[in-house]
Amino acid sequence: MVFRLASTIQDPHAYNYWLEVCALLFLVCLLIRSIVDKKFVSKVNIIFGAAIVCGVIDVLLDVIAAVLVDHPDAVSERFNFFINGTFYFFQLTFPCLLYSFILYVASISTKTRRKMYFFFIPSGLYFLCLLTNPFTKWVFDINYANVGTENSILIHGPMFIWLYIVTFFYVALTTVTLIILNKKIEKQFQATMGFSLAFIVAMLAIQLLFPRYLLTGVAISFCCWINYEQLSTGDLKDRVSGVYNYNAFLNYAKSEIDFPRHRYLIICHVGNITKINSTFGFLTGNHVYKQIGNFLASFGNNFVFRISNSRFVIAFKDEEDMHRALLLIKAKFDHPWEVDGINFDITADGYYVKGDIGASNTTDYIEFISNLEYKVKKPNDETFVCVDQISIHKISRDKAIEKALRKAIDNDFEGFEMNYQPIYEITKNKFNHSEALIRFTHPELGKISPAEFIPIAEQCGLAQKIDRYVLRTTCEFLQKHPSIDFLDINISGAEFSSNPSKEFTRIVKSYGVSPKKFVIEVTETATIEYPEKLEKFMKDMIKEGFAFAIDDFGTGYSNISRILQTSFSIIKFDKTFLAANDTAEKILESMTSLLKNLKISIVIEGVETKEQYEHMKELGIEYIQGYYFSKPLNEQAYEKFMDKQEAVA
Ligand code: C2E
Ligand code: CA
Ligand code: CA
């Protein structure tokens, strides 16, 4: 910040305004440009906008005040006083905004930022003094009695020096903050900001040496200009497609969190361009992207971002605008694109989001957008899938569960527990084994079903940890209950790719438990997804003594002959086979005799009533699992249940 050192100048006509007037014109142009340019309403942009406005007012007042000090006869003493007072007010707002700006650019937490506001106390003192009547004179005064004398009508009070000190203080503070928070600020931004500060200091030094030149405006306008370039074009445009890039999307996400405005998004994935690149070359590929960028930006009232190679995000304020754009996109991509005289078939698919994403920080916002394809199922016949408030809610619940799982796992599996559901063997009239089923209770989310949290754990790479917990806990359980013949455990399909057979065997043996006591349940879907890897895993495990069951049989579309070739000892029929219809019955009947011949045991799951039980018995099923006999029980309840059975026998 640079000052007009009026009191040091004896010749009232000595001010050199022309630099200040040029700077003012420049700043006004920059202000107009910033109004016309489409900008995200982020806190950084708001503070920056405020800095430009303050800059314009400050420089304008600087010129006017200097003229009025030079020509006191033109206006009344009061008016002159008012103009100079307003000028001195705006002198300190710019350095204050500069400091706030750097705090927002570094996006530090609101709590830390509030603490940093402590540094506004020195400027507060100055403003207080300037704005409260008798004390204003401590800063400056206008005295028309000096007209015609050698003295300037502008008199500086003892607090005037405070303006210098505080301005220097903010320049220094901004520099120190820039250095301390350098990891949180982009390199380019650091460079621009550092350069701005150095320029301000240089201008200040020149002004001190040559007080007749007014350089406030030069310093402000240069500082605003290079930061404006940094904010608007500083690596925000994608050079290929011409739309905003991922960096801009980060800024946009930040602004949406502060001021949610664009609640309607289209996330559009364009396909086939890799093929165009490899067949016709990158230049043609780039032309295709350029056309796509132009097309997507043509709807108006929207922001377009290219956030990855083939993914665009288009943000709208208005739902109708989004639907209209969606129709246009579908229609446009239905036909070939003509680029460089060649027709290209380009596909477009994705999602459209209606509603508040509810992200509290940029990472959550970006994660929401990037994870949509994993989180939202896409029907084959739809090119764009709607992500409404219900799906958003489900995604955020999944996220909360993921967080809860991570925390619980890190806290030594706090909230996890194993339950055991006895399985009844009809011919022997006893419960000879049971299935271990995991339970998870969270202090805030309550009881969460494994049907809900296991798929989440699989998606976020936590399933393996859970499997090991299951293995260790069931080993302890079997250690305590040596009379149990064997136990079924469920293992996630995510395991098979790494073949943990050696590790599993080592864990089981470390508890002194025989691998023969374990039946590993693998879902039918997993057998379809990882056929070769599963086969290898099973082979290694069976060698060690483990047995395998195929779970939820009848829910997938597995190749029956392939399954029969694989070494499953048990097939667990899904409860859908309990439905009293001819097809289910016929399949069960024929499968029962076939599997018996192959010495594969059959378990039917989900038997809840006496009728169902009788019916299964008639069909010759060996094992019954279901609420009819018992729900899954915790360890104590399981012990009680088994004691009671023994007593009955
Ligand atoms: P699943 O392996 O098919 O387990 C059987 C599910 O059916 C259990 O649900 C059980 O409580 C339930 N069930 C048992 N009898 C009846 C009945 O008569 N009627 C009805 N309606 N349901 C019955 P649960 O415990 O909620 O588990 C759901 C799924 O979560 C399991 O299906 C399994 O796929 C998965 N899961 C459970 N525990 C584990 C585990 O330790 N590891 C892994 N990887 N997955 C697990
Ligand atoms: Ca199971
Ligand atoms: Ca099952």
Side-chain angles (χ1 to χ4, degrees), residues 418 421 435 437-439 449-451 454 467 470 490-492 551-552 575 605-608 626-627 632:
M418 290 313 290
Q421 186 175 32
E435 177 175 3
L437 293 157
I438 199 163
R439 297 290 175 260
S449 152
I454 293 288
D467 284 346
V470 170
N490 294 280
I491 290 293
S492 154
D551 198 2
D552 300 342
K575 51 181 160 291
E605 297 183 301
V607 173
E608 290 182 0
Y627 297 169

mmCIF file of all heavy atoms in Angstrom, residues 418 421 435 437-439 449-451 454 467 470 490-492 551-552 575 605-608 626-627 632, ligand 1:
data_model
loop_
_atom_site.group_PDB
_atom_site.id
_atom_site.type_symbol
_atom_site.label_atom_id
_atom_site.label_comp_id
_atom_site.label_asym_id
_atom_site.label_seq_id
_atom_site.Cartn_x
_atom_site.Cartn_y
_atom_site.Cartn_z
ATOM 1 N N MET A 418 -20.113 -61.529 16.500
ATOM 2 C CA MET A 418 -20.541 -62.659 15.661
ATOM 3 C C MET A 418 -21.789 -63.281 16.275
ATOM 4 O O MET A 418 -21.886 -63.413 17.494
ATOM 5 C CB MET A 418 -19.435 -63.732 15.571
ATOM 6 C CG MET A 418 -18.210 -63.346 14.784
ATOM 7 S SD MET A 418 -18.509 -62.578 13.178
ATOM 8 C CE MET A 418 -19.141 -63.929 12.207
ATOM 9 N N GLN A 421 -26.242 -69.028 13.783
ATOM 10 C CA GLN A 421 -27.596 -69.541 13.551
ATOM 11 C C GLN A 421 -27.511 -71.059 13.408
ATOM 12 O O GLN A 421 -26.878 -71.569 12.469
ATOM 13 C CB GLN A 421 -28.195 -68.915 12.283
ATOM 14 C CG GLN A 421 -29.648 -69.320 12.113
ATOM 15 C CD GLN A 421 -30.326 -68.628 10.934
ATOM 16 O OE1 GLN A 421 -29.671 -68.339 9.928
ATOM 17 N NE2 GLN A 421 -31.609 -68.386 11.054
ATOM 18 N N GLU A 435 -24.305 -71.381 11.161
ATOM 19 C CA GLU A 435 -23.657 -70.390 10.294
ATOM 20 C C GLU A 435 -23.279 -69.175 11.138
ATOM 21 O O GLU A 435 -24.100 -68.655 11.893
ATOM 22 C CB GLU A 435 -24.595 -69.959 9.154
ATOM 23 C CG GLU A 435 -23.960 -68.875 8.286
ATOM 24 C CD GLU A 435 -24.781 -68.469 7.059
ATOM 25 O OE1 GLU A 435 -25.896 -68.979 6.871
ATOM 26 O OE2 GLU A 435 -24.278 -67.622 6.293
ATOM 27 N N LEU A 437 -22.699 -65.407 11.499
ATOM 28 C CA LEU A 437 -23.155 -64.196 10.788
ATOM 29 C C LEU A 437 -22.717 -62.961 11.581
ATOM 30 O O LEU A 437 -22.915 -62.901 12.795
ATOM 31 C CB LEU A 437 -24.676 -64.217 10.646
ATOM 32 C CG LEU A 437 -25.211 -65.323 9.734
ATOM 33 C CD1 LEU A 437 -26.660 -65.644 10.061
ATOM 34 C CD2 LEU A 437 -25.083 -64.939 8.265
ATOM 35 N N ILE A 438 -22.139 -62.033 10.872
ATOM 36 C CA ILE A 438 -21.574 -60.874 11.561
ATOM 37 C C ILE A 438 -22.655 -59.839 11.880
ATOM 38 O O ILE A 438 -23.649 -59.724 11.152
ATOM 39 C CB ILE A 438 -20.430 -60.254 10.719
ATOM 40 C CG1 ILE A 438 -19.545 -59.371 11.581
ATOM 41 C CG2 ILE A 438 -20.974 -59.480 9.520
ATOM 42 C CD1 ILE A 438 -18.205 -59.074 10.936
ATOM 43 N N ARG A 439 -22.438 -59.101 12.944
ATOM 44 C CA ARG A 439 -23.329 -57.999 13.341
ATOM 45 C C ARG A 439 -22.494 -56.758 13.598
ATOM 46 O O ARG A 439 -21.364 -56.861 14.074
ATOM 47 C CB ARG A 439 -24.088 -58.357 14.625
ATOM 48 C CG ARG A 439 -25.012 -59.546 14.467
ATOM 49 C CD ARG A 439 -26.205 -59.163 13.586
ATOM 50 N NE ARG A 439 -27.075 -60.279 13.294
ATOM 51 C CZ ARG A 439 -27.040 -60.963 12.147
ATOM 52 N NH1 ARG A 439 -26.151 -60.669 11.214
ATOM 53 N NH2 ARG A 439 -27.891 -61.927 11.927
ATOM 54 N N SER A 449 -27.414 -53.820 9.145
ATOM 55 C CA SER A 449 -27.438 -55.211 8.672
ATOM 56 C C SER A 449 -26.201 -55.512 7.820
ATOM 57 O O SER A 449 -25.756 -54.661 7.043
ATOM 58 C CB SER A 449 -28.714 -55.418 7.851
ATOM 59 O OG SER A 449 -28.504 -56.421 6.902
ATOM 60 N N PRO A 450 -25.677 -56.734 7.933
ATOM 61 C CA PRO A 450 -24.528 -57.081 7.080
ATOM 62 C C PRO A 450 -24.891 -57.023 5.598
ATOM 63 O O PRO A 450 -24.022 -56.756 4.767
ATOM 64 C CB PRO A 450 -24.163 -58.492 7.515
ATOM 65 C CG PRO A 450 -25.352 -59.012 8.229
ATOM 66 C CD PRO A 450 -26.056 -57.839 8.813
ATOM 67 N N ALA A 451 -26.191 -57.237 5.307
ATOM 68 C CA ALA A 451 -26.611 -57.160 3.904
ATOM 69 C C ALA A 451 -26.345 -55.748 3.382
ATOM 70 O O ALA A 451 -26.132 -55.543 2.185
ATOM 71 C CB ALA A 451 -28.090 -57.511 3.787
ATOM 72 N N ILE A 454 -21.785 -55.117 4.307
ATOM 73 C CA ILE A 454 -20.770 -55.950 3.637
ATOM 74 C C ILE A 454 -20.490 -55.456 2.208
ATOM 75 O O ILE A 454 -19.332 -55.269 1.840
ATOM 76 C CB ILE A 454 -21.136 -57.455 3.686
ATOM 77 C CG1 ILE A 454 -21.071 -57.984 5.125
ATOM 78 C CG2 ILE A 454 -20.266 -58.292 2.747
ATOM 79 C CD1 ILE A 454 -19.679 -58.152 5.722
ATOM 80 N N ASP A 467 -13.162 -60.117 7.008
ATOM 81 C CA ASP A 467 -13.028 -61.581 6.881
ATOM 82 C C ASP A 467 -12.057 -62.137 7.910
ATOM 83 O O ASP A 467 -12.292 -63.188 8.508
ATOM 84 C CB ASP A 467 -12.539 -61.946 5.478
ATOM 85 C CG ASP A 467 -13.655 -61.818 4.454
ATOM 86 O OD1 ASP A 467 -14.823 -61.718 4.859
ATOM 87 O OD2 ASP A 467 -13.346 -61.813 3.238
ATOM 88 N N VAL A 470 -13.661 -62.192 11.250
ATOM 89 C CA VAL A 470 -14.595 -63.324 11.321
ATOM 90 C C VAL A 470 -13.815 -64.605 11.610
ATOM 91 O O VAL A 470 -14.179 -65.397 12.484
ATOM 92 C CB VAL A 470 -15.399 -63.449 9.999
ATOM 93 C CG1 VAL A 470 -16.194 -64.751 9.949
ATOM 94 C CG2 VAL A 470 -16.321 -62.254 9.827
ATOM 95 N N ASN A 490 -18.919 -66.888 6.230
ATOM 96 C CA ASN A 490 -19.079 -66.191 4.943
ATOM 97 C C ASN A 490 -17.818 -65.406 4.623
ATOM 98 O O ASN A 490 -17.285 -64.707 5.473
ATOM 99 C CB ASN A 490 -20.253 -65.220 5.013
ATOM 100 C CG ASN A 490 -21.571 -65.943 5.183
ATOM 101 O OD1 ASN A 490 -22.143 -66.455 4.233
ATOM 102 N ND2 ASN A 490 -22.035 -66.007 6.423
ATOM 103 N N ILE A 491 -17.363 -65.550 3.412
ATOM 104 C CA ILE A 491 -16.145 -64.861 2.991
ATOM 105 C C ILE A 491 -16.475 -64.000 1.771
ATOM 106 O O ILE A 491 -17.222 -64.424 0.893
ATOM 107 C CB ILE A 491 -15.053 -65.899 2.640
ATOM 108 C CG1 ILE A 491 -14.550 -66.600 3.904
ATOM 109 C CG2 ILE A 491 -13.896 -65.297 1.861
ATOM 110 C CD1 ILE A 491 -13.797 -65.710 4.869
ATOM 111 N N SER A 492 -15.926 -62.807 1.765
ATOM 112 C CA SER A 492 -16.229 -61.899 0.655
ATOM 113 C C SER A 492 -15.561 -62.352 -0.646
ATOM 114 O O SER A 492 -14.428 -62.849 -0.622
ATOM 115 C CB SER A 492 -15.741 -60.512 1.043
ATOM 116 O OG SER A 492 -15.454 -59.795 -0.091
ATOM 117 N N ASP A 551 -23.408 -70.527 -1.605
ATOM 118 C CA ASP A 551 -24.464 -69.810 -0.875
ATOM 119 C C ASP A 551 -25.445 -69.163 -1.855
ATOM 120 O O ASP A 551 -25.091 -68.875 -2.997
ATOM 121 C CB ASP A 551 -23.784 -68.723 -0.023
ATOM 122 C CG ASP A 551 -24.677 -68.211 1.088
ATOM 123 O OD1 ASP A 551 -25.807 -68.710 1.227
ATOM 124 O OD2 ASP A 551 -24.229 -67.309 1.817
ATOM 125 N N ASP A 552 -26.663 -68.931 -1.366
ATOM 126 C CA ASP A 552 -27.707 -68.236 -2.158
ATOM 127 C C ASP A 552 -27.893 -68.899 -3.520
ATOM 128 O O ASP A 552 -28.108 -68.190 -4.526
ATOM 129 C CB ASP A 552 -27.336 -66.755 -2.371
ATOM 130 C CG ASP A 552 -27.187 -66.009 -1.055
ATOM 131 O OD1 ASP A 552 -27.688 -66.519 -0.039
ATOM 132 O OD2 ASP A 552 -26.563 -64.939 -1.053
ATOM 133 N N LYS A 575 -33.854 -68.847 -0.158
ATOM 134 C CA LYS A 575 -35.242 -68.990 0.311
ATOM 135 C C LYS A 575 -36.285 -68.834 -0.791
ATOM 136 O O LYS A 575 -37.443 -69.209 -0.595
ATOM 137 C CB LYS A 575 -35.547 -68.061 1.483
ATOM 138 C CG LYS A 575 -35.197 -66.610 1.312
ATOM 139 C CD LYS A 575 -35.560 -65.867 2.586
ATOM 140 C CE LYS A 575 -34.847 -64.562 2.730
ATOM 141 N NZ LYS A 575 -33.392 -64.666 2.976
ATOM 142 N N GLU A 605 -32.394 -72.434 3.074
ATOM 143 C CA GLU A 605 -32.330 -71.272 3.966
ATOM 144 C C GLU A 605 -33.702 -70.627 4.110
ATOM 145 O O GLU A 605 -34.547 -70.765 3.236
ATOM 146 C CB GLU A 605 -31.406 -70.208 3.364
ATOM 147 C CG GLU A 605 -29.976 -70.624 3.208
ATOM 148 C CD GLU A 605 -29.140 -69.474 2.668
ATOM 149 O OE1 GLU A 605 -29.434 -68.970 1.564
ATOM 150 O OE2 GLU A 605 -28.201 -69.087 3.356
ATOM 151 N N GLY A 606 -33.858 -69.915 5.193
ATOM 152 C CA GLY A 606 -35.037 -69.051 5.370
ATOM 153 C C GLY A 606 -36.333 -69.783 5.675
ATOM 154 O O GLY A 606 -37.422 -69.258 5.376
ATOM 155 N N VAL A 607 -36.249 -70.976 6.298
ATOM 156 C CA VAL A 607 -37.486 -71.695 6.657
ATOM 157 C C VAL A 607 -38.066 -71.040 7.905
ATOM 158 O O VAL A 607 -37.409 -70.998 8.947
ATOM 159 C CB VAL A 607 -37.182 -73.200 6.893
ATOM 160 C CG1 VAL A 607 -38.416 -73.911 7.437
ATOM 161 C CG2 VAL A 607 -36.698 -73.832 5.602
ATOM 162 N N GLU A 608 -39.300 -70.547 7.746
ATOM 163 C CA GLU A 608 -39.885 -69.793 8.858
ATOM 164 C C GLU A 608 -41.083 -70.485 9.488
ATOM 165 O O GLU A 608 -41.444 -70.184 10.626
ATOM 166 C CB GLU A 608 -40.293 -68.393 8.371
ATOM 167 C CG GLU A 608 -39.098 -67.509 8.065
ATOM 168 C CD GLU A 608 -39.473 -66.106 7.640
ATOM 169 O OE1 GLU A 608 -40.661 -65.780 7.571
ATOM 170 O OE2 GLU A 608 -38.535 -65.325 7.349
ATOM 171 N N GLY A 626 -33.239 -71.576 9.462
ATOM 172 C CA GLY A 626 -34.273 -70.550 9.399
ATOM 173 C C GLY A 626 -34.859 -70.211 10.749
ATOM 174 O O GLY A 626 -34.576 -70.867 11.751
ATOM 175 N N TYR A 627 -35.664 -69.140 10.751
ATOM 176 C CA TYR A 627 -36.260 -68.652 11.991
ATOM 177 C C TYR A 627 -37.168 -69.693 12.640
ATOM 178 O O TYR A 627 -37.461 -69.600 13.824
ATOM 179 C CB TYR A 627 -37.058 -67.364 11.724
ATOM 180 C CG TYR A 627 -36.227 -66.184 11.234
ATOM 181 C CD1 TYR A 627 -36.843 -65.031 10.730
ATOM 182 C CD2 TYR A 627 -34.832 -66.206 11.299
ATOM 183 C CE1 TYR A 627 -36.109 -63.949 10.301
ATOM 184 C CE2 TYR A 627 -34.083 -65.129 10.858
ATOM 185 C CZ TYR A 627 -34.714 -64.003 10.355
ATOM 186 O OH TYR A 627 -33.977 -62.931 9.914
ATOM 187 N N PRO A 632 -30.430 -66.033 14.234
ATOM 188 C CA PRO A 632 -29.008 -66.010 14.603
ATOM 189 C C PRO A 632 -28.880 -65.517 16.055
ATOM 190 O O PRO A 632 -29.580 -64.581 16.439
ATOM 191 C CB PRO A 632 -28.405 -64.997 13.622
ATOM 192 C CG PRO A 632 -29.372 -64.943 12.486
ATOM 193 C CD PRO A 632 -30.717 -65.175 13.069
HETATM 194 P P1 C2E B 1 -26.592 -65.101 3.934
HETATM 195 O O1 C2E B 1 -25.213 -65.616 3.958
HETATM 196 O O2 C2E B 1 -27.514 -65.628 2.925
HETATM 197 O O3 C2E B 1 -27.168 -65.306 5.389
HETATM 198 C C1 C2E B 1 -28.454 -65.733 5.670
HETATM 199 C C2 C2E B 1 -29.287 -64.549 6.015
HETATM 200 O O4 C2E B 1 -30.613 -64.954 6.124
HETATM 201 C C3 C2E B 1 -28.901 -63.964 7.382
HETATM 202 O O5 C2E B 1 -29.099 -62.594 7.295
HETATM 203 C C4 C2E B 1 -29.925 -64.597 8.286
HETATM 204 O O6 C2E B 1 -30.136 -63.839 9.471
HETATM 205 C C5 C2E B 1 -31.113 -64.603 7.411
HETATM 206 N N1 C2E B 1 -32.087 -65.599 7.812
HETATM 207 C C6 C2E B 1 -31.876 -66.765 8.437
HETATM 208 N N2 C2E B 1 -33.034 -67.431 8.625
HETATM 209 C C7 C2E B 1 -34.010 -66.651 8.104
HETATM 210 C C8 C2E B 1 -35.437 -66.798 7.978
HETATM 211 O O7 C2E B 1 -36.033 -67.730 8.394
HETATM 212 N N3 C2E B 1 -36.100 -65.779 7.358
HETATM 213 C C9 C2E B 1 -35.456 -64.688 6.872
HETATM 214 N N4 C2E B 1 -36.184 -63.734 6.305
HETATM 215 N N5 C2E B 1 -34.128 -64.543 6.959
HETATM 216 C C10 C2E B 1 -33.406 -65.502 7.575
HETATM 217 P P2 C2E B 1 -28.074 -61.578 7.850
HETATM 218 O O8 C2E B 1 -27.413 -62.121 9.064
HETATM 219 O O9 C2E B 1 -28.716 -60.262 7.915
HETATM 220 O O10 C2E B 1 -26.976 -61.571 6.729
HETATM 221 C C11 C2E B 1 -27.236 -61.069 5.489
HETATM 222 C C12 C2E B 1 -26.125 -61.334 4.532
HETATM 223 O O11 C2E B 1 -24.947 -60.642 4.908
HETATM 224 C C13 C2E B 1 -25.692 -62.774 4.546
HETATM 225 O O12 C2E B 1 -26.558 -63.518 3.730
HETATM 226 C C14 C2E B 1 -24.301 -62.693 3.978
HETATM 227 O O13 C2E B 1 -24.325 -62.587 2.589
HETATM 228 C C15 C2E B 1 -23.813 -61.413 4.562
HETATM 229 N N6 C2E B 1 -23.034 -61.725 5.774
HETATM 230 C C16 C2E B 1 -23.474 -61.981 7.028
HETATM 231 N N7 C2E B 1 -22.433 -62.228 7.847
HETATM 232 C C17 C2E B 1 -21.319 -62.153 7.087
HETATM 233 C C18 C2E B 1 -19.924 -62.314 7.369
HETATM 234 O O14 C2E B 1 -19.497 -62.628 8.473
HETATM 235 N N8 C2E B 1 -19.059 -62.123 6.332
HETATM 236 C C19 C2E B 1 -19.484 -61.811 5.087
HETATM 237 N N9 C2E B 1 -18.575 -61.649 4.113
HETATM 238 N N10 C2E B 1 -20.780 -61.665 4.776
HETATM 239 C C20 C2E B 1 -21.688 -61.841 5.778
#
